[in-house]
Amino acid sequence: MKPCVCRVLLGVALLVAGAEHVLAASAGSWAGTAPPLAVASADRHACSQPLQPPPLAAGGQLAGVRWRFQVPPGAHVQARLCHPQRCVELPAAQGESRALSGLDAGQPLQLCFRLQPGEAPQRVGGSQLLVDYRP
């Protein structure tokens, strides 16, 4: 190959690598898990420990959240995902939502549960979040 063609190809490779670096720095995600919870009341929520975002999320905005939790077969609990500014109802034991989009990504999130009226106390386990954020 001619020297000038090599320089052009090297320049393109550096631009692509630089663009990938910018994309990686401009958005991110983090995962959090919470220990099992005993849910004993229909009147009060039992909430997970606050799941803390990494320092890189500070100054960013939430883009979307995926969640998953487990309850015993046949058990019914009401679930919500809470940010210090707002909570959203979770319609199923796993799913995805953009309802918290735009909120401060540097704040912790919590999963909160309460029993349906008339339900026996339950144990909620396997609670996980995957949080996407952007600058």
Side-chain angles (χ1 to χ4, degrees):
M1 250 189 270
K2 294 181 179 179
C4 66
V5 173
C6 288
R7 285 188 199 136
V8 169
L9 290 176
L10 179 60
V12 169
L14 290 173
L15 283 174
V16 169
E20 288 175 359
H21 177 71
V22 169
L23 288 173
S26 65
S29 64
W30 60 274
T33 59
L37 280 174
V39 182
S41 174
D43 298 325
R44 253 178 59 186
H45 282 92
C47 295
S48 70
Q49 65 189 16
L51 301 174
Q52 299 292 335
L56 288 175
Q61 295 180 335
L62 292 176
V65 179
R66 290 180 290 265
W67 72 87
R68 184 172 80 175
F69 60 87
Q70 299 169 339
V71 293
H76 301 284
V77 297
Q78 294 175 342
R80 41 189 218 171
L81 174 62
C82 293
H83 180 278
Q85 291 179 285
R86 176 173 54 213
C87 293
V88 295
E89 297 295 322
L90 302 180
Q94 68 179 34
E96 181 176 344
S97 176
R98 297 199 181 286
L100 299 177
S101 292
L103 297 181
D104 183 357
Q107 296 295 313
L109 298 173
Q110 287 183 287
L111 288 163
C112 296
F113 306 93
R114 70 178 179 185
L115 297 175
Q116 298 274 4
E119 284 280 322
Q122 303 295 328
R123 184 173 175 90
V124 177
S127 297
Q128 299 177 333
L129 294 179
L130 181 58
V131 182
D132 295 320
Y133 63 91
R134 63 181 181 273

